[in-house]
Amino acid sequence: AASELKKQGDFSKAIPLYQRAYEILSNSIGPDSPLSIHVAFQLAKSYILSGQHDKAESVLVGTGKNHIK
């Protein structure tokens, strides 16, 4: 559903769905899971496409911090 909304340019509806999906996945399978990371990147992409670059950066930095050693 979120990907279709993103394709249609309806970011105000897609973003909360991606946020919720990431929250659920992070809590159930962990934030380092490939699926969790994929959803985080889709969330960041939605932020970028909607002009919310600061929020996109926050998601990407938050996602990447677990992978930078």
Side-chain angles (χ1 to χ4, degrees):
S3 62
E4 278 304 311
L5 291 167
K6 185 178 73 175
K7 286 179 191 175
Q8 296 170 7
D10 196 347
F11 305 111
S12 65
K13 291 182 182 173
I15 288 170
L17 294 177
Y18 280 126
Q19 289 170 325
R20 182 70 179 132
Y22 180 73
E23 180 182 318
I24 290 168
L25 289 168
S26 291
N27 290 330
S28 62
I29 60 176
D32 292 337
S33 154
L35 185 56
S36 296
I37 293 169
H38 173 76
V39 171
F41 280 114
Q42 293 306 312
L43 173 59
K45 186 175 178 181
S46 294
Y47 278 135
I48 290 168
L49 293 171
S50 68
Q52 299 179 67
H53 298 102
D54 290 345
K55 289 185 179 182
E57 181 180 3
S58 177
V59 170
L60 294 172
V61 169
T63 302
K65 72 180 176 185
N66 296 327
H67 299 282
I68 300 171
K69 305 282 184 206

